[in-house]
Amino acid sequence: MFAAIHDTFGEPAEVLTTRETDKPAPAAGEALLRMVLSPIHNHDLWTVRGNYGYKPELPGAIGGSEALGIVEAVGEGVDEALIGKRVTAAGFHGAWAEYFTAPAAGLLPLPEVISDEAGAQLIAMPFSALSLLETLKVGEGDWLIQTAANGAVGKIMVGLAKARGVKLLNLVRREGAAEELRETGAENVLSTDDADWQSKARELIGKEGAVSAIDSVGGELGGQLVELLGKDGELIVFGTATGQPLTMSSGELIMKHITVKGFWGSRVSGEMPPETRVRLIGELVQLAAKGQLPLDTGGIYPLAEVTEAMNAALTTGRGGKVMLRP
């Protein structure tokens, strides 16, 4: 079979090549899937670079961590009724291949109403966003602030917050991105390149301030978010697009009793009680079936064009998730 493989860590467009390798066989508790579509996530790119929490063994590592596929075979202890089912899977390694194996317990059969393109990206980013929302103090009618609102998690959070009745202030870093986000139907969108954005944010949120803020940008924006939080508010950090350390006022933290903490979706998912996981995935499937999750596609490339696919995934302002197909 063919797969997108890297023998060294480095820039994905430079180190990934498509070549033949052995077709895997499902071990006990696993299923063998024929890949239909597999998205390229930022954490996949970081993994290929060697700077993510998980480092694959080299040489011969196959990229990718989520895919939609058809079950071709199952290992010992797995119900053979799964064979032939269209399923989605996430949280494993080696998705960018014609065939891959994944734990059978994590497979999610999909209803026909969910398209291949939506189903292929249904778990990783949406589940991380919903898990993040689940952990927050914010509730129905409260204000939540998010940065990088035009990113994958940000766009999904727009749909999730609306479904749960949470008021959402969406921040992006340039007016062009704000216009693009408004055109998708998102409300309360402000660009932080507007010198007066904080005053506009206070007018929206009101004097009580926001209950929660989530940040994946870093730098001085973290401190500005704290200023918009109300008493006993919380700032949750789950990314750092700028790579800059957070800076914030000690006085704001002290006087408001602000909580600042991190969120890593992989750890939260791994430690989540099974019944909570089932409930959240069920919520995602229902939203996707109703078309209430923005799961757009920014291009589909064959495995043979993996370099072009990686360059497309790294293009700023792309419209949706870039996918690989066999």
Side-chain angles (χ1 to χ4, degrees), residues 3 19 42 47 78 83 94 127 134 144 189 208 224 264 275 287 314-315:
R19 63 176 192 258
N42 283 337
T47 299
V78 179
I83 296 174
F127 188 75
E134 182 82 1
L144 166 66
V189 183
E208 295 299 321
Q224 293 165 333
W264 186 23
E275 60 273 19
L287 290 172
L314 289 165
T315 300

Side-chain angles (χ1 to χ4, degrees), residues 82 85-88 106-111 114 285:
L82 273 174
K85 298 283 188 184
R86 187 181 71 124
V87 302
T88 190
L107 301 181
L108 178 65
L110 294 175
I114 297 178
V285 170

Side-chain angles (χ1 to χ4, degrees), residues 96-137:
W96 297 342
E98 291 181 297
Y99 295 89
F100 62 87
T101 57
L107 301 181
L108 178 65
L110 294 175
E112 291 185 7
V113 70
I114 297 178
S115 69
D116 287 351
E117 294 179 22
Q121 54 180 310
L122 180 60
I123 301 299
M125 291 297 103
F127 188 75
S128 184
L130 186 55
S131 300
L132 174 56
L133 182 57
E134 182 82 1
T135 64
L136 299 178
K137 294 171 62 176

Side-chain angles (χ1 to χ4, degrees), residues 196-217:
D196 201 29
W197 76 268
Q198 286 176 277
S199 296
K200 294 177 180 176
R202 290 191 186 92
E203 289 177 11
L204 281 170
I205 295 171
K207 63 180 181 181
E208 295 299 321
V211 172
S212 304
I214 53 177
D215 178 49
S216 60
V217 173

Side-chain angles (χ1 to χ4, degrees), residues 6 19 38 45 50 84 109 126 130 154 163 172 188 192 215 221 229 249 254 262 299 324:
H6 62 109
R19 63 176 192 258
S38 180
L45 302 175
L130 186 55
V172 296
N188 305 317
T192 56
D215 178 49
L221 188 55
L229 287 171
S249 162
I254 295 168
L324 287 168

Side-chain angles (χ1 to χ4, degrees), residues 137 210-212 229-235 255-259:
K137 294 171 62 176
V211 172
S212 304
L229 287 171
K231 186 171 66 176
D232 297 321
E234 60 179 359
L235 170 63
M255 300 307 293
K256 293 182 182 176
H257 281 203
I258 298 294
T259 299

Side-chain angles (χ1 to χ4, degrees), residues 5 15 25 30-31 42 46 58 60 72 79 104 109 141 159 179 197 199-200 210 223-224 243 248 261 277 313 319:
I5 300 172
V15 302
E30 290 185 338
N42 283 337
W46 297 335
L58 299 178
E72 293 274 319
D79 188 350
E179 288 296 330
W197 76 268
S199 296
K200 294 177 180 176
Q224 293 165 333
M248 55 192 67
K261 63 180 181 181
R277 183 179 182 83

Side-chain angles (χ1 to χ4, degrees), residues 5-9 19 56-62:
I5 300 172
H6 62 109
D7 296 323
T8 60
F9 293 119
R19 63 176 192 258
E57 290 187 16
L58 299 178
I62 301 174

